[in-house]
Amino acid sequence: MALLEIQGLSKAFGGLRAINGLDITVDEGEVVSVIGPNGAGKTTFFNLVTGMESPDEGSIVFGGQELVGLRPNQILQLGMARTFQNVRLFPAMTVMENVMVGQHSRTKAGLLGAILKTPSQRREEREIEERSKEVLSFFGTRLAGYRHDELSMTLSYANRRRLEIARAMATNPRLLLLDEPTAGMNPRETIELTELIGQLRSERAYTIVLIEHDMQVVRNVSDRVVVLDHGVKLTEGSYDEVSTNEKVIEAYLGRPAELGA
Amino acid sequence: MRRAVKLGLAGGAAMVLVAAIGMVAAFQARMLIDPILPLGTFFLYLVAFIFGWMASKPPVTLEGFEPARAGIRNVLAGAMAGALGGLCVGLLLIVMTTWDLRGVFIALSPELAEILSFGLPVAAAIPVIALVAGAAGALGGAVHLLSPRLRRAVLSALAWVLVFSLFTDIFGQAFTALRLEFLVDFIYTGRGGALTIVGAIVVFAVFFVLYWWMSGRTNTLRQRVQSMPRGQRSRWQIGAAVIILVVLYFVPKIMGPFVSQILVTAGIYLLMALGLNIVVGYAGLLDLGYVAFFAVGAYTTAILTSPQSPAFSPELSVVASIPFVMIAAAVAGILVATPVIRMRGDYLAIVTLGFGEIARILLNSEWLAPYFGGAQGITNIPDLQIGPLTFSTPQDYFYPVFLFVLFAAYVTYALQNSRWGRAWMAMREDESVAEAMGVNIVTAKLSAFVVGAILASFGGSLFASQIGSVFPHTFDIVVSITVLVIIIVGGMGSVPGVALGAIVLIVLPNLLREFSEYQFLFYGVLLIVMMLNRPEGFIPSKRRAQELHSEEMAQDAWLEIYGEKGQPEQVPEGAV
């Protein structure tokens, strides 16, 4: 059954049609890569799905619920979390706090509870802490013990990306949207992250949609690849099908000279 | 060299400014050390001292390089800067004695000329001024020659001499209350007088010895407490807290009504500052109209308790009005927050500024005068009464104000590590990401405003019952600005910092009546100096300190715990 079903999605910025009549379906448990040249509308697509921008037309149905018109926090509540292409952590908060914020929508203590330190608030606070540690332990020594109380701004670039994934995991999502998770990583780190994405699916049972430029990663993790160009879907299919598709090669490399003339 | 000249001229400009705006002449009547040092002269040459110190500050050296050794060059640079400053003052003296500039600069009076020239004729005075300023500058430069330990002891002792000579009233009052009149007679020329020369030397000597002896020891004490096992440490901390509370209990009794009144005012500002700290420091919502919530608290109490309330006067007790004050503040918080929900940063600041002014103008208006009394305000607000206790004097009010401050400090701490505290911080850091991570921005903004509003309204309520009347002109924009300056200078997000900010900005200017005319000049200078040298505030929150050197601290702490257990964790490659 389709977890995410998008039909006729369109969004224009002034005269630029960033997304134009897009239909995409993602099934439960799938890993889908969205690729395409720069400016193809990939990040806009993520922004529309997570409610950070509102579409001009079309429908986005997630787990049977229409998302268009909902605020980002409501969409997250339904079980969809994302990371950002340009890593947007809360820089002056610690690693732990970043992950703890992720659990905001899954907990419910109020202000009075915090001031009166009610037993239920303290229990919940402990649970938040435990779950945050558990999520961070997913990254092994990378975000281990001594880093928990560091400000996230002091982390290395690769660790910031990991922390962003941890923060998204802490929201307990069904669908994880990863925006270029390996951008800026060295080859070793890229391989590590590729394995991690595999684990996210096998151990955590997340459905994953990722935007990625590194074709090795795309080949290794995806069940299906969707190619966008100028806001429209060029094609979709397995990595091998897509990578040999003429239209895709054309979009990336341009039209051969003798035909383009 | 060029630095010394540049700073000397800057210092000269500062000295001329200090003289020309009338500070020197206004402070001259006040003696610091009788009969040699009046405050005006001291203040003028303090400027030379500071610039001498700055001019001879060693340049920044890179890590690993040997810094240049302090030597006679520092003293010379200081002397040069100071003397240049003195020459500028001499120039001022020539100009002001040749032409009468009093039409523009009222303060350039013959009395000022008398003070500046030490009573000498102008031609003889100029070298003297340059010499004295040069000496002050040289002293400033010489500070660098002292070893750190000696420097600390000398400067601290000098600071205490200054404190003793500035706050004669307080020390006189306190010593008298403690039955130590003989001390007053010994070091002062009489109650409320200046320090005697002997007194100044004694104070300096006592504090010099004290600091010399203490240096190095305070740290080890702190370390000892920190290295204690948990139970013992918390017992120590509880003990320290009890001692502080006992001392605080006696403060108003010893200090008398004048100082207590200042402390009550400072406490009310502190209460507001703690509230604003939640709105600005935690949630990042720059509210420039914060005084409106203070006004809501004051007016709600006034209307509900005063028999003079024009329209509606249930004549409740002050305590009974508190729940209504909270409700009114919460409603006001929501009213202000609702229209600004989708606003950020500068826009929010301007709109809240507008709200603050609207509140004051409405309270002042003829239109609402039947309800709020217009410019006449509401008078006859009864004293605070709790059971058999009646609070009427400033000394009495110290205790409830202090309790409310404690409560506000507790709330600040409790909310910091809570679900909403984290949500506020996330919103401050990046509003759209916070929303995408599940924080309901609407609720978060409303709740931050409501909590801040309630704390400020407590301040207003206490203020109204202590003063006994409320007038619209009290709730002016300056209150909002002052509260904001307190948290910026003190250290945003840090309770001890905000407390220190309230002391520096409210208590000091009120104690030094000579300065109160120049209060805002003082705020301005302080703000500029702080922003340049210590933008995180006097006592920054742990988090802010961490922003500067977090990595080594965290790693050291971690190694201490795990390294000794024999499981040294290697720092993973590529994770640097």
Side-chain angles (χ1 to χ4, degrees):
Chain A
M1 193 209 120
L3 179 63
L4 181 67
E5 213 170 342
I6 293 165
Q7 274 177 351
L9 194 66
S10 295
K11 174 78 180 174
F13 298 109
L16 176 75
R17 301 193 68 86
I19 297 284
N20 196 357
L22 192 65
D23 302 327
I24 289 182
T25 311
V26 177
D27 289 331
E28 186 98 50
E30 245 189 330
V31 176
V32 177
S33 291
V34 178
I35 64 169
N38 288 331
K42 306 184 293 290
T43 296
T44 304
F45 164 64
F46 268 26
N47 286 345
L48 292 173
V49 173
T50 54
M52 295 181 80
E53 274 161 28
S54 48
D56 300 335
E57 276 168 47
S59 80
I60 306 168
V61 178
F62 177 67
Q65 167 125 21
E66 175 64 53
L67 298 187
V68 174
L70 294 184
R71 302 286 318 163
N73 58 309
Q74 295 168 314
I75 292 174
L76 181 121
Q77 186 105 36
L78 294 172
M80 189 193 297
R82 72 171 291 185
T83 66
F84 296 86
Q85 181 180 8
N86 46 349
V87 191
R88 288 168 77 177
L89 290 166
F90 305 121
M93 295 174 78
T94 66
V95 169
M96 266 300 255
E97 284 170 343
N98 266 279
V99 181
M100 287 165 105
V101 169
Q103 292 177 49
H104 186 87
S105 64
R106 300 283 169 243
T107 45
K108 52 185 186 301
L111 288 171
L112 271 182
I115 293 171
L116 300 173
K117 294 243 181 273
T118 55
S120 67
Q121 190 264 348
R122 287 155 77 146
R123 185 163 7 93
E124 189 181 276
E125 199 68 6
R126 260 199 313 278
E127 283 166 12
I128 291 174
E129 199 165 315
E130 271 162 31
R131 245 173 297 157
S132 304
K133 283 186 179 152
E134 190 259 332
V135 167
L136 284 170
S137 72
F138 190 74
F139 296 85
T141 54
R142 296 298 198 182
L143 295 172
Y146 74 90
R147 290 199 196 275
H148 286 180
D149 296 323
E150 271 183 41
L151 299 185
S152 64
M153 66 201 272
T154 65
L155 293 179
S156 69
Y157 191 72
N159 271 338
R160 288 183 206 183
R161 287 220 171 271
R162 294 188 186 103
L163 178 56
E164 225 191 5
I165 296 174
R167 183 178 66 183
M169 285 165 67
T171 66
N172 201 12
R174 294 166 72 190
L175 176 65
L176 199 54
L177 302 166
L178 305 175
D179 198 342
E180 295 201 32
T182 68
M185 288 194 172
N186 67 31
R188 225 192 106 131
E189 289 164 342
T190 305
I191 292 168
E192 202 185 292
L193 199 92
T194 312
E195 286 166 9
L196 200 108
I197 293 171
Q199 283 172 21
L200 283 175
R201 173 162 61 167
S202 59
E203 291 174 21
R204 300 261 162 175
Y206 295 146
T207 306
I208 296 170
V209 176
L210 74 156
I211 294 174
E212 188 50 69
H213 276 300
D214 187 324
M215 288 307 149
Q216 292 287 357
V217 178
V218 173
R219 182 166 66 183
N220 287 334
V221 303
S222 349
D223 297 322
R224 196 149 55 87
V225 178
V226 175
V227 187
L228 294 189
D229 190 27
H230 294 108
V232 294
K233 186 163 75 179
L234 277 187
T235 178
E236 67 181 302
S238 73
Y239 177 82
D240 293 326
E241 288 163 18
V242 164
S243 61
T244 51
N245 184 306
E246 262 177 39
K247 279 200 281 186
V248 175
I249 296 168
E250 200 176 276
Y252 270 95
L253 300 178
R255 211 176 277 259
E258 63 268 34
L259 289 177
Chain B
M1 195 65 199
R2 269 182 51 194
R3 220 171 110 85
V5 173
K6 237 168 32 189
L7 278 166
L9 291 175
M15 287 168 86
V16 168
L17 179 78
V18 164
I21 60 173
M23 282 175 103
V24 171
F27 294 170
Q28 198 63 12
R30 177 71 183 274
M31 274 289 163
L32 284 183
I33 301 173
D34 198 50
I36 50 168
L37 191 60
L39 182 56
T41 312
F42 169 75
F43 204 75
L44 185 64
Y45 290 103
L46 179 68
V47 177
F49 177 84
I50 292 172
F51 275 89
W53 174 76
M54 274 164 56
S56 57
K57 206 149 71 171
V60 181
T61 37
L62 289 173
E63 211 176 321
F65 284 83
E66 190 72 16
R69 285 183 62 83
I72 191 74
R73 285 172 49 113
N74 296 56
V75 180
L76 283 178
M80 170 129 175
L84 264 174
L87 285 178
C88 294
V89 176
L91 205 63
L92 173 73
L93 193 59
I94 295 174
V95 169
M96 67 187 277
T97 44
T98 318
W99 298 287
D100 185 11
L101 295 175
R102 297 184 64 183
V104 186
F105 299 101
I106 321 172
L108 298 179
S109 58
E111 293 82 55
L112 180 65
E114 175 81 20
I115 296 164
L116 291 182
S117 62
F118 300 103
L120 298 168
V122 172
I126 290 172
V128 176
I129 296 172
L131 214 66
V132 176
L139 282 178
V143 169
H144 298 289
L145 300 185
L146 307 176
S147 74
R149 186 178 173 192
L150 192 61
R151 189 189 311 162
R152 221 183 114 95
V154 169
L155 289 181
S156 308
L158 281 177
W160 275 105
V161 174
L162 185 62
V163 167
F164 267 82
S165 55
L166 282 177
F167 304 116
T168 49
D169 288 346
I170 299 171
F171 286 103
Q173 168 83 37
F175 286 152
T176 314
L178 293 170
R179 312 232 171 287
L180 296 169
E181 287 97 340
F182 70 93
L183 258 181
V184 182
D185 296 336
F186 180 57
I187 60 173
Y188 291 122
T189 55
R191 252 195 83 177
L195 275 180
T196 57
I197 295 175
V198 180
I201 293 171
V202 169
V203 171
F204 180 83
V206 167
F207 280 98
F208 180 78
V209 171
L210 203 66
Y211 272 95
W212 183 258
W213 180 76
M214 257 178 25
S215 62
R217 273 167 228 257
T218 43
N219 272 342
T220 52
L221 182 68
R222 188 174 296 163
Q223 277 162 8
R224 221 184 302 159
V225 172
Q226 254 158 21
S227 65
M228 281 175 189
R230 220 191 180 130
Q232 200 184 351
R233 184 166 63 183
S234 61
R235 243 174 294 146
W236 263 75
Q237 282 163 345
I238 290 168
V242 168
I243 291 171
I244 290 171
L245 285 181
V246 169
V247 170
L248 280 171
Y249 175 76
F250 286 108
V251 162
K253 299 195 186 308
I254 292 171
M255 289 306 191
F258 172 65
V259 176
S260 300
Q261 177 59 52
I262 294 172
L263 289 176
V264 166
T265 308
I268 289 172
Y269 269 101
L270 177 53
L271 194 52
M272 280 196 276
L274 287 170
L276 188 62
N277 180 43
I278 287 177
V279 183
V280 180
Y282 285 4
L285 306 165
L286 184 53
D287 181 354
L288 294 181
Y290 195 58
V291 67
F293 301 133
F294 182 57
V296 166
Y299 266 89
T300 308
T301 293
I303 290 171
L304 293 179
T305 60
S306 166
Q308 307 272 300
S309 165
F312 170 70
S313 144
E315 296 190 41
L316 297 176
S317 73
V318 174
V319 174
S321 77
I322 298 259
F324 298 102
V325 167
M326 289 173 70
I327 294 169
V331 171
I334 291 171
L335 276 182
V336 173
T338 310
V340 300
I341 283 191
R342 296 282 162 224
M343 277 178 202
R344 295 175 193 196
D346 310 351
Y347 304 101
L348 185 102
I350 296 300
V351 172
T352 52
L353 181 73
F355 273 119
E357 282 298 277
I358 289 170
R360 185 177 62 84
I361 290 165
L362 281 182
L363 292 174
N364 207 357
S365 65
E366 281 300 309
W367 175 50
L368 290 174
Y371 305 97
F372 298 120
Q376 274 78 47
I378 300 174
T379 53
N380 260 339
I381 302 165
D383 286 326
L384 178 62
Q385 251 180 334
I386 303 172
L389 295 171
T390 306
F391 297 84
S392 49
T393 63
Q395 280 119 305
D396 298 338
Y397 267 96
F398 177 83
Y399 301 105
V401 168
F402 183 71
L403 278 183
F404 271 101
V405 168
L406 269 190
F407 172 72
Y410 167 74
V411 168
T412 307
Y413 278 124
L415 290 180
Q416 183 170 24
N417 293 311
S418 73
R419 176 168 170 260
W420 280 107
R422 286 187 296 269
W424 287 335
M425 281 187 262
M427 180 170 76
R428 176 193 68 200
E429 296 291 307
D430 192 329
E431 195 173 313
S432 28
V433 176
E435 197 174 18
M437 284 299 133
V439 176
N440 186 335
I441 294 296
V442 176
T443 325
K445 279 194 180 170
L446 287 179
S447 61
F449 267 104
V450 167
V451 172
I454 289 178
L455 291 179
S457 72
F458 286 154
S461 189
L462 287 167
F463 173 81
S465 88
Q466 204 239 323
I467 304 292
S469 51
V470 287
F471 302 104
H473 67 82
T474 319
F475 305 102
D476 136 344
I477 170 87
V478 169
V479 178
S480 299
I481 303 289
T482 307
V483 174
L484 191 64
V485 174
I486 287 175
I487 60 175
I488 291 172
V489 167
M492 216 179 269
S494 132
V495 173
V498 173
L500 185 65
I503 291 173
V504 170
L505 290 161
I506 308 295
V507 177
L508 291 190
N510 280 302
L511 280 182
L512 296 166
R513 271 155 297 175
E514 285 85 358
F515 279 89
S516 51
E517 196 179 327
Y518 301 99
Q519 189 170 357
F520 291 105
L521 180 72
F522 168 65
Y523 284 8
V525 171
L526 188 67
L527 257 186
I528 292 170
V529 171
M530 289 296 286
M531 287 306 104
L532 286 176
N533 293 321
R534 213 178 151 82
E536 70 274 24
F538 284 130
I539 310 179
S541 61
K542 222 189 254 167
R543 180 181 309 272
R544 282 241 160 143
Q546 221 186 354
E547 278 182 47
L548 296 174
H549 42 217
S550 69
E551 201 136 59
E552 59 263 50
M553 269 165 40
Q555 229 158 37
D556 288 352
W558 186 81
L559 283 175
E560 248 170 53
I561 301 164
Y562 294 93
E564 285 166 16
K565 281 188 191 164
Q567 1 171 278
E569 171 73 54
Q570 40 185 295
V571 179
E573 311 161 44
V576 181

